Amino acid sequence: MNPTIRNEAEHLTALRRMRDLLEKPLGADEARELAQVNKAIKVYEESIAVMERVARKAADRGEDAVTGLTGEE
């Protein structure tokens, strides 16, 4: 299973799960789950960071700021 985080509530749940997994010895299944949760958290946090940069750019430039965005901002 590859979890997908879609909102802040799911993000907080994933962070709690990661904390729980890190507080005990890991078997193979737990290590695999930890890797999947960690990846989902990273993807979610990176997507939020991109959206925040785009929003700042749009606010700084006005309405025309979103023209020509590549996703690499």
Side-chain angles (χ1 to χ4, degrees), residues 23-42:
E23 290 178 346
K24 60 183 178 179
L26 299 179
D29 290 340
E30 291 86 2
R32 191 171 17 263
E33 181 184 359
L34 178 60
Q36 292 171 344
V37 170
N38 186 51
K39 182 178 179 182
I41 290 169
K42 183 177 179 179

Side-chain angles (χ1 to χ4, degrees), residues 1-20 33 36-45 47-48:
M1 177 181 107
N2 290 317
T4 300
I5 300 171
R6 296 171 298 233
N7 55 52
E8 188 57 27
E10 291 178 1
H11 180 231
L12 293 173
T13 299
L15 289 170
R16 279 194 228 66
R17 181 61 182 150
M18 185 165 67
R19 182 196 62 215
D20 292 346
E33 181 184 359
Q36 292 171 344
V37 170
N38 186 51
K39 182 178 179 182
I41 290 169
K42 183 177 179 179
V43 167
Y44 178 78
E45 290 176 350
S47 70
I48 295 299

